[in-house]
Amino acid sequence: MEVPAELAGGKDAAASLPSMSQPIPVEITVVKAQDLKTLKSNVLVTLVRVEYNGEVLGDSPKTGVLPSGTAEYNFSTSFECSPDGPNSLEVIVQKPLLLTVLEVGPREKKKTEKITPLGQAVVDLLPLLQGVRSLKVFAPLYAVPASSSEKLHPKATGGLEVTVSTKELLLSATQFSSGNLLSITMEAAYSVPGVFTVEGQQNYMACLQIPAAGEKELLLLFQNGILKADGEKEPLPRPKNWPLGTILAPGALAIPNSFIVGGPYEDEDGDLTRSKDREFRRQAESTKRIVWDTERRCYLDAAAVAVAPCICFVPSLQKRIAECRYWPVELCKMSMASGGKGKTSKADKGDEDKQIAFHGVAYVNMMHLLCPGVKQIRGAFRVFSYQDGEVFEKTRIQHSIFRDLRSQLSLAKEGLGTSPVSRAAPTKAQKEDKDSSGTYSEAGTFLVMEIKLDRPLVPKRPREELVRRVKEMIHPKPELPPWTGGAKKAVEAYEKCVTSVAAAILREYHELFGKQLPDQGVIDHGTLEEQRRQLNYELNTSGKYFAFKEQLKHSVVKIVREKYLKTEAFENQGQLQEFLSELYVFLVGHMHIALNKLLSGEDVSSTPTPCATNKQLLLFAREAEANRDLKLASLFYSQRIAQDQCSIQSWLDYGAFCLLHKDATKAQECFKKALCLDPQHTQSLLLCGIVAVKLQHYEEAEIFFEDACCLEPSSIIAWTLSGLFYELQNNYIRAERNFREAKKLLQAQLEEERRILEAAEAEGKKPSTAPEEIPDGSADKLPEVVEGVTSKEKATALQEAPEAPCLAPGPQPPPCTIFMKTVEFLMKVNAVRFVHKALAHELLSLQGGPTCAYYLALAWTYSLQEDLPRCEECVCEAIRIDPTNPNVWAQKGHLCYLKKDFDKAKNCYEQVISFVEDAVDMHFVYLRLGSIYLEEKEYGRAKQIYLLACDNSASCLTWLGVGIACYRMKEMVEAEDALSEANALNNTNAEVWGYLTLICLHGGRQLEAEQCYKYTIKLGLKNSELLQEIDATQSRFGFGNPSL
């Protein structure tokens, strides 16, 4: 396409092309043709014609065809590539080399030889701009039909062996690496207005502008669209075509190795990607349509100085997209009117304008190309009637290509109709066309096109960089040496010094008397005294005694200063003697401790095995949360970490607890510690991103989310969370792309599950894995619950709030949207803000209205905000949708329990127990129902419920409930057994010690009663009624309180 100099930058721009300063010859050699007999069986003599950019470069000599169908040409020709010549870089980008094999017929009398085209081939010269100096290709040879009506099979049967080379690179390595290639494919326009008819000569065209430099634009024209009637859909894949009209062989129009492959509508970037648009598009693709299937290319140069018709610049392109995201693609129909001779008069120009009809425009959102790693935009874009004000408002472009810039498009050469037209009045069809420009919207016309780059405008951060950035953010600070306190450290130093001196004295003893003991194995007292005297003499005479004393002196001074805080002189001799006596006793005592350790070989006593395991501590922490005892819950979480500091899950659980209770800084420390333990842990990355958003560290959050998606690209939750983050940043393009990726993964997962189920049904057995099960290692797998505690209990307890501890069950059945899958994960880690965002998307994406799972999750968020009325509304809606779901009734029971409406809570909990299927939080259902029974003095039922809880997941509280119920029913033996079990699980529960005190009082065991009572008071029993009962029982029996 010719573009005038004033539009493209003129001579100055042409002189600054990013290539050679001098013309570079491009050498072309046609070596031979093969399988010519497949084109025509009796062909004898041929020659090959080489053309480029509309110019014939030369014909080879006539060559005979061998019986095998081979013709040896060995013909060479060339053309020059120069920035100011006809064959510049922009031409090489988009125009192929055209090779025509001509058959030379026998010469008849007085007639010249008959030369007819036999086949054509094309060679794409684009590799010459991609760092290649020489390319050797076998170009497929397509048959030329003898007449326009003849139908040939498009598949090539023969071919030409061609070599193309240059003496130097057309683009330097730097220019090639910094540049880019933009390819725009105009596929088709569907659902076109009904007034479009196949009859008559019409030219259907589309055009768009590409920014060059400054205010300049490059105009890319797609013409000669083919209007096809109703029928079969366009096949997929199908080849893309060259933007050429001079090719005789239709098969040669196809660009080698370049195809339109299509794809799911949901993966596109256009306007019609929703599920409700799917059926409309399917129908439109088989009705009347305009097909181009044409690709045009532009070379994008990184240099900011060069301007040429098909060369524009990466910075200009990025700047233009950032300034205005929507680019207009114009569409029109032009009647191919035959004109008279002569020049066009002024009166004719009015008729010329009337030839352009159905002027429409589609708006392409180019912001997708500014997303890291994105190289392609493809989709269906709605076509609207062209309105100047609307186009300027959306695109900031003031000129229409077809209407205002027609003279600059070389319309005559491109066939746009600049030839003189008839002065006759416009036909009826032309008038209808002019008056029908609004029918695009009525018909629902949409344009399918693709914009593709060779490299993304914004490179995606490599995995190595993300790992480095994450490592910098989570790099632990150097740990300070543990400070044990001045006094303790001084005592330890003294004991160590005593041990060292004792070992040295023992070595002196062995040197004097040897290590061998007497035969009887015991040294008599007299011998021992003599050896002591000799040893003292040796130590004193050698000076070693004074050396040992100096070693001890420093440690004793530290004890005086650190332990006794004595740094000043004593006022009198009496105080000094008193202090020395006390110090002597202390030093001798610790000397004995040190010597006993040395002589017995004992080391520091090992830490005893904790009574409670990791799984039990987790359950205790969740129970403490439910009872609003956050200090105790924090203690249990800390104990879990102390037991195993390398447990990632322990750090994540504690971090989730801190996140829920508004200690985001502590939560961040926990999540980063987990990530330090395993930098490849996707859940830790996601949680670090979530807490970074909470702390408004958005740059860090982006790194964490991006690294999670890069580390585990198959994670639905990682992509969805990343999309929610970008939406918080108002980056809706990246958010939508991430949501689309998550939906694609979910669809693939559902299809795989369906395939497994079908295969299992065909075999007559169940699949080995449940459909909702997610492979290990995936971020979609919810945080692990430590062994022995069910996922149901974890789902319940982790969601417990201190102000309004409403236990929220996970959705059942498993969620089937990306947002509910993400909500399920977020509720486990208490990320309330992201839960709200995901639920908002879920509400917008639902076709049949909100689901039961949606209302349960929403109720959980309201419970955390202490908004119990709205929480109750959500629970009621969930019951209305699914009245047989045990999780719904459990949620309602918890709500009534928080409102102190214990009668309704009891009814709801009993309803939960009556279902065949358990709720996900049965542990807390049992605990709370048992407590209600105890309050109502239904001790038998309370005992049974608490025993069910013990069977489900035993804890100190479940056995305490059994013990209380048995005690109230005078079953003292069973009560003591149950309380002993509770005490074994957690010996710091004051209420357990209180009831053990009562049992010992009733059993007449005075010593045990007093001991249990001491622990009850020491642990701070807060149950005033139980304290009063203990006091009354002690008064009645006359013992049990040692203070009386």
Side-chain angles (χ1 to χ4, degrees):
M1 179 179 65
E2 301 279 344
V3 181
E6 62 269 16
L7 185 66
K11 295 181 179 179
D12 294 338
S16 58
L17 282 170
S19 58
M20 55 286 166
S21 57
Q22 299 296 326
I24 297 179
V26 179
E27 300 288 341
I28 303 158
T29 301
V30 183
V31 180
K32 62 182 177 180
Q34 295 182 6
D35 297 328
L36 290 179
K37 297 288 186 178
T38 59
L39 299 176
K40 188 175 181 181
S41 58
N42 58 350
V43 61
L44 298 177
V45 181
T46 62
L47 61 87
V48 62
R49 177 170 295 166
V50 183
E51 301 175 59
Y52 190 70
N53 195 19
E55 178 185 354
V56 176
L57 302 181
D59 292 348
S60 71
K62 302 170 187 176
T63 304
V65 179
L66 300 177
S68 62
T70 301
E72 299 284 348
Y73 297 117
N74 293 318
F75 170 69
S76 297
T77 184
S78 66
F79 68 87
E80 289 186 342
C81 176
S82 62
D84 53 354
N87 301 321
S88 56
L89 289 181
E90 70 272 12
V91 176
I92 292 179
V93 167
Q94 62 175 332
K95 290 190 177 181
L97 184 69
L98 182 60
L99 308 170
T100 306
V101 175
L102 303 172
E103 180 186 11
V104 181
R107 178 178 296 182
E108 299 180 2
K109 294 180 179 181
K110 299 181 180 180
K111 291 183 180 181
T112 59
E113 297 172 324
K114 184 179 180 182
I115 298 178
T116 57
L118 185 64
Q120 281 188 320
V122 293
V123 177
D124 190 358
L125 300 182
L126 181 62
L128 295 179
L129 273 72
Q130 297 175 326
V132 175
R133 289 176 52 185
S134 176
L135 63 147
K136 183 177 181 181
V137 297
F138 182 79
L141 195 60
Y142 297 89
V144 175
S147 64
S148 59
S149 60
E150 183 180 355
K151 301 293 183 180
L152 294 176
H153 195 278
K155 185 177 181 181
T157 53
L160 291 172
E161 186 178 316
V162 184
T163 301
V164 183
S165 62
T166 59
K167 292 184 178 179
E168 57 184 280
L169 293 173
L170 298 184
L171 286 178
S172 67
T174 302
Q175 292 168 340
F176 169 68
S177 61
S178 60
N180 211 328
L181 180 69
L182 174 67
S183 303
I184 299 177
T185 303
M186 194 67 60
E187 297 183 17
Y190 296 97
S191 190
V192 297
V195 296
F196 284 14
T197 57
V198 180
E199 295 79 13
Q201 293 185 345
Q202 306 289 338
N203 189 359
Y204 297 97
M205 297 176 294
C207 188
L208 74 156
Q209 306 178 45
I210 302 295
E215 300 297 325
K216 304 302 180 181
E217 302 287 343
L218 307 177
L219 309 180
L220 298 183
L221 180 67
F222 299 85
Q223 60 174 338
N224 300 324
I226 301 172
L227 180 64
K228 294 186 178 181
D230 298 353
E232 296 293 328
K233 295 182 180 181
E234 296 298 314
L236 288 175
R238 61 184 187 272
K240 298 179 182 180
N241 297 327
W242 293 104
L244 303 175
T246 58
I247 293 181
L248 300 176
L253 273 174
I255 301 176
N257 303 317
S258 185
F259 298 93
I260 297 171
V261 296
Y265 302 142
E266 294 80 4
D267 294 348
E268 296 179 351
D269 305 297
D271 303 327
L272 302 173
T273 60
R274 296 172 297 181
S275 55
K276 67 179 183 180
D277 302 320
R278 190 177 305 158
E279 188 59 32
F280 166 69
R281 290 190 59 177
R282 287 174 178 169
Q283 294 178 2
E285 288 173 357
S286 58
T287 57
K288 191 185 301 182
R289 58 202 179 275
I290 302 171
V291 179
W292 287 275
D293 289 347
T294 301
E295 178 184 88
R296 280 191 176 273
R297 300 167 178 167
C298 297
Y299 177 73
L300 306 179
D301 195 336
V305 292
V307 184
C310 278
I311 298 184
C312 63
F313 313 101
V314 176
S316 300
L317 187 63
Q318 289 178 300
K319 181 180 177 182
R320 174 62 182 277
I321 294 174
E323 290 174 350
C324 188
R325 65 175 58 191
Y326 290 105
W327 286 15
V329 179
E330 295 186 41
L331 182 68
C332 78
K333 181 183 80 168
M334 174 173 285
S335 300
M336 304 291 286
S338 58
K341 297 180 180 180
K343 294 183 179 180
T344 305
S345 65
K346 293 183 178 180
D348 295 332
K349 291 183 179 179
D351 292 341
E352 183 182 67
D353 288 339
K354 294 176 184 177
Q355 285 185 289
I356 294 181
F358 288 92
H359 192 185
V361 62
Y363 301 102
V364 180
N365 191 343
M366 300 289 287
M367 283 296 290
H368 293 277
L369 292 180
L370 295 188
C371 295
V374 174
K375 301 188 295 184
Q376 174 181 324
I377 296 176
R378 183 183 182 276
F381 303 92
R382 291 191 180 277
V383 179
F384 305 92
S385 60
Y386 193 97
Q387 302 292 335
D388 290 326
E390 179 183 342
V391 173
F392 178 75
E393 180 181 355
K394 296 196 73 170
T395 68
R396 298 299 167 188
I397 292 179
Q398 300 179 351
H399 302 288
S400 164
I401 300 174
F402 289 131
R403 189 185 63 234
D404 302 329
L405 304 177
R406 297 176 67 217
S407 61
Q408 301 178 16
L409 284 170
S410 301
L411 300 180
K413 183 174 290 189
E414 295 292 345
L416 288 178
T418 56
S419 59
V421 296
S422 173
R423 296 188 182 183
T427 64
K428 181 179 179 181
Q430 290 172 336
K431 291 181 179 180
E432 288 178 355
D433 287 351
K434 186 177 181 180
D435 297 334
S436 303
S437 60
T439 55
Y440 283 128
S441 298
E442 298 173 4
T445 305
F446 60 92
L447 194 66
V448 178
M449 61 181 298
E450 177 190 74
I451 300 175
K452 186 176 181 180
L453 292 163
D454 190 44
R455 287 188 290 270
L457 291 178
V458 181
K460 191 174 182 179
R461 275 185 282 232
R463 169 73 177 146
E464 294 75 16
E465 179 185 349
L466 292 172
V467 171
R468 178 182 59 80
R469 293 286 300 275
V470 169
K471 188 176 181 180
E472 290 174 357
M473 289 186 289
I474 68 171
H475 186 66
K477 298 177 182 178
E479 294 186 3
L480 297 174
W483 180 255
T484 59
K488 185 177 180 181
K489 186 175 182 180
V491 172
E492 290 176 351
Y494 169 74
E495 292 179 355
K496 184 177 181 181
C497 191
V498 168
T499 303
S500 175
V501 171
I505 294 174
L506 185 61
R507 284 196 298 272
E508 293 293 329
Y509 175 86
H510 289 158
E511 290 178 4
L512 289 173
F513 308 109
K515 296 183 180 181
Q516 193 70 26
L517 291 174
D519 296 336
Q520 60 271 29
V522 179
I523 302 176
D524 63 87
H525 181 71
T527 305
L528 196 60
E529 280 296 322
E530 179 62 25
Q531 289 180 349
R532 184 179 67 83
R533 187 185 62 79
Q534 292 182 24
L535 178 62
N536 284 336
Y537 175 80
E538 181 66 26
L539 292 177
N540 279 284
T541 55
S542 65
K544 293 180 180 178
Y545 173 83
F546 297 99
F548 293 153
K549 188 173 69 172
E550 287 299 317
Q551 290 183 29
L552 289 170
K553 181 178 178 179
H554 178 71
S555 61
V556 172
V557 171
K558 292 292 291 183
I559 288 178
V560 172
R561 291 177 176 177
E562 300 292 342
K563 174 70 176 176
Y564 293 97
L565 305 178
K566 300 294 183 180
T567 57
E568 297 179 357
F570 292 93
E571 296 178 358
N572 52 60
Q573 193 69 18
Q575 289 182 353
L576 176 60
Q577 290 300 326
E578 183 181 355
F579 171 71
L580 290 177
S581 298
E582 183 182 356
L583 178 62
Y584 177 78
V585 172
F586 179 83
L587 293 177
V588 170
H590 279 275
M591 179 189 70
H592 289 158
I593 293 174
L595 292 177
N596 287 335
K597 289 181 181 178
L598 174 64
L599 298 176
S600 64
E602 291 181 358
D603 198 353
V604 179
S605 59
S606 59
T607 304
T609 305
C611 296
T613 62
N614 192 290
K615 62 180 181 180
Q616 291 169 335
L617 287 172
L618 177 62
L619 185 57
F620 299 163
R622 303 289 167 75
E623 290 176 335
E625 279 189 89
N627 293 329
R628 307 183 186 182
D629 193 344
L630 300 185
K631 185 177 181 180
L632 181 60
S634 179
L635 176 63
F636 285 134
Y637 281 120
S638 301
Q639 288 180 2
R640 290 183 71 216
I641 294 174
Q643 284 189 8
D644 184 6
Q645 295 194 6
C646 295
S647 171
I648 294 176
Q649 195 60 45
S650 296
W651 286 104
L652 295 184
D653 290 337
Y654 191 24
F657 167 79
C658 297
L659 184 64
L660 177 61
H661 302 300
K662 299 179 174 52
D663 191 354
T665 303
K666 184 65 175 178
Q668 185 183 48
E669 292 177 7
C670 294
F671 296 150
K672 286 188 174 181
K673 180 63 178 179
L675 196 56
C676 286
L677 293 173
D678 183 7
Q680 308 293 320
H681 197 253
T682 310
Q683 290 178 28
S684 301
L685 284 169
L686 294 177
L687 292 175
C688 285
I690 289 171
V691 77
V693 172
K694 179 80 172 177
L695 295 171
Q696 298 184 1
H697 300 165
Y698 299 117
E699 185 178 352
E700 288 186 11
E702 183 176 10
I703 296 295
F704 285 126
F705 287 127
E706 191 173 341
D707 191 27
C709 294
C710 185
L711 173 65
E712 193 169 350
S714 61
S715 170
I716 297 171
I717 291 174
W719 285 106
T720 308
L721 269 178
S722 182
L724 293 174
F725 164 75
Y726 284 121
E727 190 175 65
L728 286 172
Q729 300 298 298
N730 297 323
N731 191 340
Y732 300 108
I733 297 296
R734 293 195 69 175
E736 186 57 37
R737 295 190 72 88
N738 286 10
F739 292 152
R740 186 192 311 157
E741 184 66 25
K743 291 175 182 176
K744 186 192 303 183
L745 292 170
L746 178 61
Q747 185 65 30
Q749 186 184 89
L750 294 176
E751 290 177 358
E752 178 65 16
E753 292 168 1
R754 191 179 304 111
R755 185 190 65 79
I756 293 174
L757 284 174
E758 291 175 354
E761 290 174 358
E763 296 176 3
K765 61 181 180 180
K766 294 181 179 180
S768 58
T769 57
E772 64 271 17
E773 191 170 303
I774 300 170
D776 289 350
S778 170
D780 302 343
K781 186 177 179 181
L782 302 175
E784 289 274 39
V785 181
V786 290
E787 184 181 353
V789 181
T790 64
S791 59
K792 301 177 182 179
E793 296 156 5
K794 179 175 172 116
T796 299
L798 185 55
Q799 296 157 0
E800 193 69 28
E803 300 86 355
C806 182
L807 304 166
Q812 285 189 350
C816 58
T817 67
I818 62 171
F819 299 110
M820 286 312 297
K821 274 185 172 291
T822 307
V823 163
E824 191 177 41
F825 169 78
L826 293 171
M827 289 171 67
K828 303 290 185 182
V829 297
N830 304 316
V832 181
R833 184 181 184 186
F834 279 90
V835 169
H836 278 295
K837 295 290 294 182
L839 288 177
H841 275 281
E842 177 70 9
L843 185 61
L844 292 175
S845 65
L846 292 172
Q847 299 296 324
T851 62
C852 178
Y854 168 84
Y855 280 118
L856 282 177
L858 191 59
W860 175 76
T861 63
Y862 287 139
S863 71
L864 296 182
Q865 300 167 358
E866 295 188 25
D867 192 348
L868 299 186
R870 298 180 71 177
C871 177
E872 185 173 11
E873 292 177 6
C874 294
V875 172
C876 291
E877 285 296 319
I879 292 176
R880 180 186 60 80
I881 295 173
D882 189 0
T884 61
N885 189 339
N887 297 303
V888 177
W889 290 102
Q891 182 84 332
K892 185 175 182 181
H894 297 323
L895 178 63
C896 296
Y897 190 90
L898 294 174
K899 294 169 65 178
K900 309 298 183 183
D901 190 348
F902 297 119
D903 288 336
K904 288 186 177 179
K906 181 178 71 171
N907 293 334
C908 293
Y909 290 145
E910 289 174 344
Q911 182 79 5
V912 173
I913 295 176
S914 68
F915 287 111
V916 175
E917 182 182 358
D918 286 343
V920 295
D921 60 343
M922 288 302 295
H923 181 79
F924 289 92
V925 171
Y926 289 140
L927 282 180
R928 289 179 169 176
L929 181 57
S931 68
I932 294 174
Y933 283 149
L934 287 179
E935 193 69 26
E936 295 179 351
K937 299 183 179 180
E938 298 184 40
Y939 302 123
R941 302 181 71 180
K943 177 182 177 182
Q944 295 302 319
I945 290 298
Y946 278 120
L947 285 173
L948 287 174
C950 291
D951 183 61
N952 184 55
S953 52
S955 71
C956 176
L957 295 185
T958 58
W959 284 114
L960 174 61
V962 175
I964 294 173
C966 292
Y967 172 78
R968 297 304 179 191
M969 293 188 296
K970 309 300 182 184
E971 299 174 356
M972 296 301 178
V973 176
E974 292 187 19
E976 186 172 1
D977 290 342
L979 292 171
S980 298
E981 289 287 343
N983 206 11
L985 291 173
N986 181 13
N987 59 6
T988 62
N989 190 303
E991 198 165 344
V992 173
W993 288 107
Y995 278 100
L996 283 172
T997 302
L998 290 173
I999 292 175
C1000 292
L1001 288 171
H1002 282 281
R1005 295 177 282 175
Q1006 181 176 350
L1007 182 61
E1008 294 177 49
E1010 290 180 358
Q1011 192 70 21
C1012 292
Y1013 179 70
K1014 287 179 182 179
Y1015 281 111
T1016 302
I1017 300 303
K1018 182 179 179 180
L1019 294 171
L1021 179 62
K1022 298 177 182 179
N1023 189 334
S1024 58
E1025 294 181 358
L1026 181 57
L1027 274 174
Q1028 292 175 6
E1029 184 178 358
I1030 293 173
D1031 291 340
T1033 307
Q1034 288 172 341
S1035 300
R1036 179 154 54 95
F1037 288 103
F1039 64 89
N1041 188 346
S1043 63
L1044 297 178

